[in-house]
Amino acid sequence: DLVQHFTGTSQKWFTFTNGAHIDSLDPYTYDRWYDFLQLFVAHKAPIVNQAATRAAAPAIYQAAMGLPQSDVVTLPPDSIQEQPDYRSALSAFQALPEVRVLFDNGAGSSPGASSNPGDPYPAFEQSFSGLPIPGTTAQTWYFGAGGRDWQHNPSGSAVSYTSQPLTAAATAIGGGAVNAWVESSTPDVDLQATVSEVRPDGNETFVQNGWIRASERKLSTDSNNIFKQPSTTLEPIPTFVAGDAQPMPAGQFAQVTIPLYFQGHVYRAGSRIKVTIAAPNGTQPIWSFAETQPPSGTATESVAFSNTMPSSLSLPVVPGVSAPAALPPCPSLRNEPCRP
């Protein structure tokens, strides 16, 4: 979301990829960041220090990412660094599209064409002129009967819904939301939505989460909010104003929108899209929420799906992305665990 609100300059470039915080320094992202700093801060052609940087890369990545000594991660070829002087390098960089998405990070090959699942290389990439991606549409899947719980959620502690197999690949780039009609036994409750891809090979890949405290469910109706823009289907923005907080109505369903964090993911043809709604925590490896609602005990939550209470998932589906038909190895995608 913040990408759309950089001000004071018309020169801005963004790289998106799946992974943890350390993946902001993966080889492809690092090359772009290095080029930018050399050109716009040091005012030098990136080729000047290219050799030393590339020589140090394997040792740096082994230390930073905890890789074994046998796992050599190197920097890929970079067209900006191949420009012979500052002016030509600057011109080439300024011609780059504003937005680049590195898809399936962890499932790609090294510059030497070796493949080690989990190494920080994307399987493919695509660039775009800006965000939202031109042509983005809100594609919605409505909840229905027959969903089953994810194995990591004990019976009775979650609800999940799984789509029919996709007839064609669907590429989602951006936020999205789970819109649920919820009845709660407690005045307040924290909800977590998890979106995953159920693959034709019987494995399930985590894609993204979203969270909301039910009492803070009121959405902004104008641009007077933290992002200074109106709420939309694909980017719902709670007001987060204390005066707007309301307890859940006793014995009644209320609409609760759970905004999703950004994703850049290709759901392959034949896969099914799955939504799991549960209490927070349990999907991230090294962090979790404290002071959740309710603060103690349990709450009974019901999710409705009907013509009058149409609970659903909406994702920002973009056209024109050509992805490899083959599924990434399971596991391989960085910070996207894959399970039977």
Side-chain angles (χ1 to χ4, degrees):
D1 236 9
L2 295 177
V3 170
Q4 300 171 50
H5 304 287
F6 272 63
T7 58
T9 180
S10 61
Q11 300 189 95
K12 47 190 176 181
W13 295 270
F14 303 92
T15 294
F16 296 92
T17 189
N18 57 284
H21 292 297
I22 190 61
D23 288 279
S24 62
L25 293 176
D26 69 43
Y28 283 80
T29 307
Y30 172 86
D31 263 349
R32 185 65 59 90
W33 180 227
Y34 171 80
D35 294 345
F36 176 84
L37 291 177
Q38 288 293 102
L39 292 168
F40 292 91
V41 180
H43 299 286
K44 296 179 180 179
I47 195 173
V48 173
N49 296 316
Q50 179 195 51
T53 300
R54 291 184 175 280
I60 292 173
Y61 278 115
Q62 284 175 347
M65 293 188 166
L67 302 174
Q69 292 295 311
S70 59
D71 200 357
V72 179
V73 171
T74 58
L75 295 173
D78 182 89
S79 61
I80 308 299
Q81 295 169 19
E82 294 170 357
Q83 300 298 319
D85 55 58
Y86 174 73
R87 187 175 297 276
S88 60
L90 179 64
S91 177
F93 193 96
Q94 289 175 323
L96 293 171
E98 185 174 293
V99 173
R100 177 179 63 157
V101 181
L102 306 178
F103 290 96
D104 290 348
N105 181 29
S109 299
S110 73
S114 63
S115 179
N116 185 29
D119 278 359
Y121 300 115
F124 67 105
E125 67 173 83
Q126 192 151 331
S127 295
F128 306 90
S129 59
L131 277 177
I133 306 300
T136 298
T137 58
Q139 187 164 339
T140 300
W141 291 264
Y142 290 94
F143 295 180
R148 294 193 303 170
D149 291 339
W150 197 2
Q151 65 174 15
H152 286 220
N153 296 100
S155 179
S157 69
V159 292
S160 60
Y161 306 90
T162 307
S163 76
Q164 294 296 314
L166 300 176
T167 57
T171 300
I173 302 176
V178 171
N179 300 286
W181 285 85
V182 179
E183 181 185 31
S184 177
S185 67
T186 57
D188 206 1
V189 63
D190 291 338
L191 298 173
Q192 171 180 285
T194 301
V195 182
S196 56
E197 177 181 8
V198 180
R199 302 158 30 136
D201 63 4
N203 291 311
E204 177 181 2
T205 299
F206 169 91
V207 178
Q208 190 53 284
N209 280 133
W211 300 270
I212 194 68
R213 178 158 289 176
S215 62
E216 298 176 1
R217 63 191 179 275
K218 184 175 181 180
L219 299 180
S220 178
T221 56
D222 54 30
S223 296
N224 186 25
N225 53 57
I226 57 175
F227 292 124
K228 306 303 180 187
Q229 67 182 37
S231 259
T232 66
T233 298
L234 294 175
E235 293 189 16
I237 305 171
T239 67
F240 292 127
V241 174
D244 288 339
Q246 294 182 352
M248 292 291 284
Q252 299 178 38
F253 284 90
Q255 188 171 18
V256 180
T257 297
I258 309 173
L260 297 174
Y261 277 71
F262 264 42
Q263 62 177 277
H265 188 81
V266 179
Y267 299 87
R268 267 41 175 216
S271 287
R272 295 176 291 155
I273 298 176
K274 182 176 178 180
V275 180
T276 300
I277 301 174
N281 303 325
T283 63
Q284 298 295 317
I286 58 173
W287 66 268
S288 61
F289 291 102
E291 301 181 17
T292 53
Q293 291 289 338
S296 61
T298 60
T300 300
E301 307 303 311
S302 300
V303 177
F305 45 89
S306 67
N307 290 337
T308 57
M309 293 185 287
S311 296
S312 64
L313 163 71
S314 293
L315 294 179
V317 175
V318 305
V321 175
S322 180
L327 290 162
C330 175
S332 66
L333 302 187
R334 297 181 61 81
N335 213 36
E336 291 189 57
C338 184
R339 311 178 177 95

